Amino acid sequence: MKIVVAITAASGGIYARLTLERLLRSSEVSQIALVCSAHAREVLAHEDVVLPEDGRIRLFGNDDLFAPPASGSARYDAMVVVPSTVGTVGRVAAGAAQSLIERAADVMLKERRRLVFVVRETPLSLIHLRNMTALTEAGAVILPACPSFYAGAQDVEALCGTVADRAVALLGVDAEHYEWGE
């Protein structure tokens, strides 16, 4: 599978790192297009989050609208925006793509491919909720960054891992993950 991973400036870079690590553990994933917004890099540095490096990861600039993820002909199978700002959600919901992250998400919607937004914002305004509704109606999945406490996680990393597990599963990637009742 070819996956696009986009990181925006929302707090919670740990979710991006854990999602990438899980994708890289899957033999199904042959390629990851990684796109970070400029402010995402600042937030990652502030949160001391170091992203994994791997030959399957290809980094693209968020201002590079000629990059493969900007076109449906590149045939990426799925995309996750993790973490996602509500600003990114709003611009994609409005069809007003001005960056590679927004354009790649727009491509996923128009091509009817899997698109997951791991929204990291609280509280949510009515505008945020309407934008998330519009994306859901267009075929995207909204995955709030709400960890699963019933999984019995013993630390923050494991707790955040429950969100990364869900994101990877929603992308259609077969990977180890927590299942209720195990």
Side-chain angles (χ1 to χ4, degrees):
M1 291 182 76
K2 292 171 54 177
I3 308 290
V4 178
V5 175
I7 305 173
T8 68
S11 177
I14 188 171
Y15 293 115
R17 178 179 60 81
L18 293 171
T19 300
L20 282 166
E21 288 172 356
R22 281 155 171 74
L23 289 170
L24 290 169
R25 277 191 232 136
S26 173
S27 60
E28 280 185 273
V29 177
S30 60
Q31 188 179 126
I32 297 172
L34 178 60
V35 188
C36 297
S37 72
H39 293 297
R41 294 187 181 288
E42 294 170 12
V43 173
L44 290 169
H46 177 77
E47 295 178 351
D48 293 323
V49 173
V50 177
L51 300 177
E53 295 182 17
D54 187 280
R56 291 177 286 171
I57 298 175
R58 187 169 170 202
L59 185 62
F60 295 99
N62 196 28
D63 60 347
D64 185 0
L65 293 176
F66 286 99
S71 174
S73 64
R75 302 200 50 81
Y76 284 91
D77 298 292
M79 176 177 178
V80 60
V81 185
V82 55
S84 179
T85 62
V86 291
T88 301
V89 165
R91 286 185 295 280
V92 175
Q98 295 183 344
S99 69
L100 180 56
I101 291 172
E102 296 158 5
R103 174 60 187 164
D106 190 48
V107 166
M108 291 293 134
L109 291 174
K110 77 180 187 69
E111 299 289 330
R112 307 295 192 266
R113 297 190 182 133
R114 295 172 192 254
L115 174 60
V116 178
F117 288 88
V118 181
V119 178
R120 230 299 302 136
E121 183 69 61
T122 189
L124 297 167
S125 74
L126 182 58
I127 292 168
H128 302 148
L129 294 168
R130 286 185 175 152
N131 287 334
M132 287 188 270
T133 298
L135 287 176
T136 300
E137 290 171 342
V141 174
I142 304 298
L143 173 60
C146 298
S148 301
F149 290 91
Y150 54 77
Q154 299 300 307
D155 56 34
V156 172
E157 177 116 351
L159 196 58
C160 292
T162 65
V163 173
D165 287 345
R166 284 204 170 175
V168 169
L170 287 167
L171 292 172
V173 175
D174 187 27
E176 270 189 49
H177 61 277
Y178 170 81
E179 287 190 30
W180 178 251
E182 288 185 347

